[in-house]
Amino acid sequence: MYTLSSKIKTIALTLMVLGLLGIAYGFFSAPKNTEDVEKILAADSHGGGHHETAATNEATEEHHEVAPVAHAEESHAVEAGKDSTAVVAQGLDSVVTHVEEAHASVEKSAHETSEAKGHDVAEHDAHAEHKEHVEHVFHQLQNKPWAALYVGALFIFLISLGVLAFYAIQWAAQAGWSPALFRVMEAITAYLVPGGIIIFVLLVLSGVQMNHLFIWMDPAVAAEDHLIQGKSGFLNVPFYLIRAAVFLGGWILYRTYTRKNSIALDETHDLSYYKKNFKASAGFLAFFLVSESIMSWDWVMSVDPHWYSTLFGWYVFASFFVSGITTIALITLYLKSQGYLEFINNSHFHDLAKFMFGISVFWTYLWFSQFMLMWYSNIPEEVTYFKMRIEHYNLPFFGMVIMNFVFPILILINTDFKRVPWIITMAGIIILSGHYLDFHNMIYPATVGDQWFIGVAELGSVAFFAGLFIYVVFSALTKAPLLAKGNPLIEESKHFHY
Amino acid sequence: MSNKVIHALYNDDDVLMDAVKATRKAHHHIEEVYTPFPVHGLDKAMGLAPTRIAICAFLYGLTGLSFATWLLNNIMISDWPQDIGGKPSFSYIQNMPAFVPVMFEETVFFAAHLMVITFYMRSKLWPFKKAENPDVRTTDDHFLMEVAVNNNESELTSFLQSTGAVEVKVVEKH
């Protein structure tokens, strides 16, 4: 039996407290109204030379020149293109970025009218334009603490979902090497319940307009947007929440059922429990395949309601699946180093590291397939997604490819390295950070736009959920013996040698 | 000096493994072992050095990657940078995603084929090569261990007989 060490407890609680402070700071420091945004924008523009609000025409002009630089994604670029050489290079691209935001279509029509009118009107319009811009930035900054919270909650929750999928595969495949790791996996999936509740609460809060993470949930936006209206049969709040509840319910049900059977198998050595789990796992995998795909459209893709990608479900799956396997490896390594898993040997780690390596490459394959197909065909309504990311998220967007692909492929390709604990740990930390960035890159561009930053709010959110995760997982570890001794494959697993 | 070896035949891979271990322990030099199928752990028991063919493959893969990169850069960017369907051919990195499928396949192609050829060369395998099995039964259901003789013929013979060999014979090797 594992006993929860006070060190782990302290670490978990510290992370949670620091994380809560970070989250609170994020909400506290978000601007309350557009005047705050004016100040932020004035401070952002160089040297504080543009601290006036748009009172005079002159000031308006100044603001105009700054705005495209600071917020190139915005539609100012088109207008500025008439006189500014800097924007010429962007040319068509900035037209493309129009489609990006739901607001953009509104702004664009405002533009077209302004161009038709005379010079005087154009100046007046520039003023309105600036106001709209400030309004837009205001929404983005208000979204930021919510996005930070959501990404943290989603990422950590999906890790335990990834482990659940891995666990089900091990049962259904009757894998001989992994039963010795079942208790670790079961403990990790214990986070599904609290994590799922948090995710659901966050979705409900979005549904009742507490935030603007999902722009299609805003009736005012949906009223002006034909694309969102066309999707409202699927993207409407009640159906959305029902789907979320059904999926979470299904996953938690499977987890609870197999865990119960697994414990019963230990106590009774009655193989009917083994068969029950085998069947449940096969059924769950079919359910998971469908629910995971729809989950990824709902929870991740629908922040960009104008954009769609057919392989998105697989892409999201690969991302959290590899994170889940990495987490299994890290927790197993920790427990082994504390002397709790004497039946785990190097070969188990070797297998986990092979999975980390293989699924990392699989993730890259999907990432690249999605990117390359859209880049190649360059259809405006698709490619804006990547245009936006390459322009404003260049480092995280390509940095995560280095972290999730180049680094693992160079480190974990070596057979000997796959058996060395500190190398697996190092690779695991890089992979987890890389996949956090991946989720960051999926959510932030649509919700926060170019106002993103990985700061206190983001790190706080990850720290809080990581702390909660550690606490829940290690508490769950204390509740059952670490060796699933009733499993008929356990002897093979204990003597697994590669 | 005559070049004598002893051929000890076994009909079970477990017996063979024990015999190999015992022979090594008794410090007799095992020249070669012939088996009809891969015997798991035999290389370890014989004390053979691990293969380095994976390292070769990795290097060949890098060669393939470099070759593809050079090839595409030379053709598509340096030599004749045409505008084909609006793809940016100003620099390699701009059009890189379109080249990745070729880069990937070249990497795999070089790694796989050169590794196989390396294997053939290192194991001296080629068409019309004269087969080297000392006893035709070793390709079917017998295992053969070839041990060098150093003026200890009778002692070695009785030793090998004690390891469970079904047949032990002294052979003059040319």
Side-chain angles (χ1 to χ4, degrees):
Chain A
M1 289 293 271
Y2 174 71
T3 46
L4 190 58
S5 70
S6 60
K7 203 173 83 185
I8 287 283
K9 224 188 238 169
T10 319
I11 289 173
L13 290 177
T14 312
L15 279 173
M16 281 165 80
V17 170
L18 288 178
L20 270 182
L21 287 176
I23 293 169
Y25 173 79
F27 279 99
F28 179 74
S29 62
K32 307 285 173 295
N33 50 43
T34 46
E35 272 130 53
D36 290 353
V37 178
E38 294 274 14
K39 277 182 212 145
I40 293 169
L41 287 182
D44 279 353
S45 56
H46 32 80
H50 310 282
H51 54 276
E52 299 150 275
T53 52
T56 65
N57 276 350
E58 211 180 296
T60 316
E61 286 295 322
E62 278 185 357
H63 264 285
H64 241 321
E65 290 190 359
V66 178
V69 181
H71 314 286
E73 156 253 347
E74 271 305 307
S75 48
H76 301 275
V78 177
E79 194 195 30
K82 282 182 292 191
D83 45 28
S84 156
T85 49
V87 185
V88 171
Q90 292 185 333
L92 287 172
D93 300 349
S94 56
V95 180
V96 165
T97 52
H98 259 295
V99 200
E100 174 62 30
E101 295 282 323
H103 315 280
S105 58
V106 187
E107 282 175 275
K108 192 179 177 185
S109 60
H111 259 306
E112 277 156 5
T113 48
S114 84
E115 277 168 46
K117 288 174 192 167
H119 187 68
D120 302 342
V121 193
E123 273 180 4
H124 173 72
D125 191 61
H127 181 66
E129 173 79 22
H130 173 73
K131 265 198 119 77
E132 253 174 59
H133 171 65
V134 169
E135 185 79 11
H136 182 70
V137 173
F138 173 56
H139 283 308
Q140 291 183 328
L141 288 174
Q142 270 205 320
N143 259 344
K144 197 170 165 277
W146 284 102
L149 192 62
Y150 185 62
V151 171
L154 191 67
F155 176 61
I156 306 284
F157 170 77
L158 289 180
I159 285 180
S160 73
L161 186 62
V163 174
L164 189 72
F166 191 70
Y167 178 71
I169 291 170
Q170 301 306 311
W171 271 103
Q174 302 178 18
W177 68 279
S178 52
L181 293 161
F182 273 2
R183 283 295 138 74
V184 177
M185 297 186 211
E186 286 167 12
I188 296 173
T189 55
Y191 182 75
L192 276 178
V193 180
I197 291 170
I198 290 169
I199 288 281
F200 193 74
V201 167
L202 283 176
L203 295 181
V204 170
L205 290 181
S206 296
V208 298
Q209 304 295 310
M210 287 283 288
N211 58 53
H212 291 86
L213 287 183
F214 301 93
I215 203 147
W216 55 267
M217 286 176 174
D218 187 344
V221 173
E224 290 187 23
D225 193 315
H226 292 296
L227 287 174
I228 292 179
Q229 282 161 19
K231 295 177 180 181
S232 61
F234 187 76
L235 287 183
N236 60 76
V237 175
F239 187 30
Y240 179 83
L241 291 180
I242 291 170
R243 282 198 302 270
V246 169
F247 298 158
L248 287 168
W251 302 333
I252 292 171
L253 180 76
Y254 166 75
R255 193 267 162 188
T256 317
Y257 180 73
T258 40
R259 164 79 167 183
K260 215 176 70 201
N261 283 341
S262 176
I263 301 281
L265 187 62
D266 254 16
E267 282 156 7
T268 60
H269 288 262
D270 176 1
L271 283 186
S272 67
Y273 290 113
Y274 177 80
K275 286 176 188 156
K276 275 182 190 162
N277 265 6
F278 172 73
K279 285 178 188 157
S281 300
F284 167 77
L285 284 171
F287 171 76
F288 177 77
L289 203 68
V290 177
S291 58
E292 188 277 330
S293 194
I294 300 176
M295 175 278 283
S296 67
W297 310 335
D298 277 356
W299 298 1
V300 187
M301 195 158 76
S302 86
V303 294
D304 282 293
H306 284 187
W307 181 78
Y308 51 84
S309 163
T310 42
L311 60 70
F312 198 71
W314 280 111
Y315 171 65
V316 173
F317 169 71
S319 188
F320 69 75
F321 193 53
V322 71
S323 310
I325 294 166
T326 305
T327 309
I328 298 174
L330 293 183
I331 292 183
T332 313
L333 273 172
Y334 171 75
L335 290 173
K336 172 89 179 163
S337 74
Q338 300 294 308
Y340 283 106
L341 300 171
E342 70 284 355
F343 43 87
I344 296 289
N345 57 44
N346 269 349
S347 295
H348 292 103
F349 291 123
H350 191 159
D351 263 30
L352 283 170
K354 269 188 282 186
F355 270 107
M356 283 160 66
F357 173 78
I359 309 294
S360 283
V361 176
F362 178 62
W363 174 87
T364 315
Y365 167 63
L366 293 174
W367 174 83
F368 183 72
S369 301
Q370 184 171 266
F371 171 68
M372 197 264 235
L373 286 180
M374 292 192 174
W375 172 88
Y376 206 103
S377 58
N378 205 22
I379 302 172
E381 65 260 35
E382 285 181 348
V383 86
T384 47
Y385 186 83
F386 290 109
K387 196 115 208 82
M388 168 77 183
R389 277 154 181 79
I390 290 173
E391 265 173 31
H392 300 297
Y393 291 74
N394 203 290
L395 185 64
F397 186 70
F398 291 110
M400 76 172 177
V401 182
I402 308 281
M403 292 167 81
N404 293 342
F405 173 63
V406 179
F407 187 81
I409 206 176
L410 291 179
I411 295 298
L412 292 178
I413 201 167
N414 188 311
T415 300
D416 299 327
F417 286 2
K418 284 195 278 260
R419 312 177 85 97
V420 181
W422 72 265
I423 289 181
I424 305 175
T425 311
M426 187 176 68
I429 290 168
I430 298 279
I431 289 174
L432 285 181
S433 318
H435 286 282
Y436 170 76
L437 262 189
D438 188 13
F439 278 93
H440 180 270
N441 289 343
M442 285 193 253
I443 302 290
Y444 266 58
T447 53
V448 185
D450 57 1
Q451 301 295 322
W452 72 275
F453 188 67
I454 298 185
V456 177
E458 285 75 12
L459 295 176
S461 167
V462 175
F464 173 75
F465 289 107
L468 185 65
F469 179 83
I470 291 171
Y471 187 79
V472 170
V473 169
F474 283 88
S475 305
L477 276 171
T478 60
K479 291 184 182 130
L482 287 170
L483 180 66
K485 64 178 190 307
N487 194 302
L489 295 165
I490 198 70
E491 278 308 312
E492 178 181 344
S493 181
K494 274 159 75 178
H495 299 113
F496 171 65
H497 170 75
Y498 172 74
Chain B
M1 193 180 110
S2 72
N3 207 354
K4 275 185 186 168
V5 292
I6 296 192
H7 283 171
L9 279 128
Y10 302 86
N11 56 11
D12 188 281
D13 49 340
D14 287 335
V15 180
L16 172 77
M17 285 291 279
D18 293 339
V20 167
K21 282 172 197 159
T23 312
R24 274 196 24 116
K25 210 170 171 193
H27 298 296
H28 297 299
H29 179 68
I30 302 174
E31 300 262 326
E32 190 64 275
V33 176
Y34 297 86
T35 65
F37 53 76
V39 178
H40 186 74
L42 183 62
D43 52 341
K44 267 214 183 85
M46 288 171 70
L48 297 181
T51 173
R52 289 168 297 187
I53 202 157
I55 297 168
C56 287
F58 185 78
L59 296 176
Y60 295 148
L62 290 183
T63 311
L65 185 64
S66 312
F67 174 71
T69 310
W70 169 82
L71 183 79
L72 290 163
N73 184 56
N74 197 38
I75 295 172
M76 302 302 290
I77 309 294
S78 306
D79 189 30
W80 199 266
Q82 284 197 100
D83 181 341
I84 303 167
K87 283 276 162 285
S89 51
F90 307 108
S91 75
Y92 191 78
I93 197 72
Q94 273 189 312
N95 211 3
M96 217 269 286
F99 303 149
V100 167
V102 182
M103 289 156 72
F104 170 77
E105 295 293 349
E106 287 283 11
T107 308
V108 175
F109 179 86
F110 272 64
H113 288 83
L114 292 180
M115 176 177 79
V116 168
I117 292 169
T118 306
F119 168 74
Y120 286 155
M121 286 167 66
R122 293 291 289 140
S123 358
K124 301 187 173 68
L125 280 176
W126 53 84
F128 313 113
K129 156 145 177 136
K130 200 172 170 300
E132 284 174 354
N133 50 324
D135 192 310
V136 287
R137 290 172 297 174
T138 60
T139 65
D140 183 15
D141 61 350
H142 277 64
F143 306 82
L144 189 151
M145 178 162 65
E146 188 178 288
V147 186
V149 177
N150 305 307
N151 303 322
N152 53 354
E153 194 180 315
S154 58
E155 179 218 337
L156 192 53
T157 309
S158 60
F159 168 75
L160 287 172
Q161 239 137 17
S162 72
T163 60
V166 290
E167 193 180 316
V168 177
K169 51 186 178 182
V170 182
V171 182
E172 191 81 22
K173 215 179 179 191
H174 307 290

